[in-house]
Amino acid sequence: MRLCPVRELLPGMMLGKSIFTEAGQLLLRAGYTLDAEVLHRLAATGRNAIYVFEEGTEDIIPEDLISDESRGRAAAAYGQTLDRMTETMRTRKDIAPDQLRSMLQRGGEFRNVVDVDRVSADVASIVDEIMDSSAEVLNQTLMKSRTGYNTEHAVDTALVALLIGRRLQYSRRDLVELGTGAFLHDLGKMALPALMNKPRSEMSEDEHALLQEHPVFGQQLLFHSSDRFFMAQTTILHHHERQDGMGYPLGLEGKNTKPLLDHQDATKYIFPFAEIVRVADSYDNLIAGGGPTGDPERAIRDVMRYSRSAYNAEVVALLAEVISIFPTGAMVCIAECSSKLLEGAQGAVMKINRERPHHPLVVLLRNARGGKVTPKTIDLAAESHVRLELVH
């Protein structure tokens, strides 16, 4: 199967991987033959790409980090939390910011907004799958939708953070705490429904200042929902702090050292889990459209640009190791190649080359003029020079 931009889908194509709604419900099952009505519905979701079956790509099987079922359960848990917060805030749309702060501190109206048992069970299931999986990189960050942004962002931020945590050899217990903090890192935004999806460029100064309190709100909401997960609470509270001390809400500094739990003072320095979540959050925002590109390599470069100042340099280095810049099944164009006859040709990535990420195994499907060709597998590792571009 290959990853196909939604704008290029045609009636009669067969769905390669199941698609779920933002609430975690099955929308379309793998093997479904697409028709005009379904294509219209997919376009309306703002989804940018899906997997389809195509001749020559039968042997391309993306190695998923977690199952569709686990992703669906996590999405449903997030949707439940959002629904509970929406209901709680329904009659309080015009509440003043200082009143909101007081309400959250008291916690009476916000107790058990988060079904912590359900969320932690779903995160623990994801952790177990990741620990058992042979997959070393996240392969599905290119599959985003506009309507499902908040949920997809929560899940994918958690996956990136957990892959980094696995590289650091965190224990299962620590991974569950890290995953819970990453999954709920934007919990505080749910208390600000008017600002949750509002572009920052359209916010007033007061609105922007209020938004910067969402880490505090999120920590309070989790605190009032459970007497457990102290590390997850601290992760939420610190996830917008910067290494140079210019972050918010506390202005804490980082040490730019490996994020290990070494009992450092969390009132002076950024909690290690939060350093991981900050990088994972920023990367996924860039992929999802919060930045100028959906290109993993360029998004990683954008994060690297602020390594040591905004982001922990050790975490940024690990980010580059756990993200597939040319995911399995993604369509690529051979922009430059030592074999000139290959330049301009397009194909689907069959296998990632961990030693040489820019030289994957590719199934050629289109010539330089865009016409279909007899599928042919080529190993770009045999080329001395290759420059690939993702086909969006």
Side-chain angles (χ1 to χ4, degrees), residues 58-88:
E58 295 86 356
D59 294 331
I60 298 178
I61 303 175
E63 188 175 19
D64 291 335
L65 191 60
I66 61 171
S67 66
D68 288 339
E69 290 74 18
S70 290
R71 180 178 280 272
R73 286 195 301 269
Y78 194 86
Q80 179 195 57
T81 302
L82 183 57
D83 288 344
R84 286 184 175 187
M85 179 58 74
T86 300
E87 184 62 31
T88 301

Side-chain angles (χ1 to χ4, degrees), residues 271-301:
F271 188 59
F273 288 179
E275 295 179 307
I276 295 173
V277 173
R278 174 156 176 77
V279 169
D281 174 34
S282 296
Y283 167 79
D284 194 69
N285 272 328
L286 289 167
I287 287 295
T293 177
D295 184 322
E297 186 173 26
R298 189 177 301 177
I300 291 172
R301 286 203 305 267

Side-chain angles (χ1 to χ4, degrees), residues 54 60 126 141 198:
E54 181 174 330
I60 298 178
I126 289 173
T141 53
K198 188 174 183 178

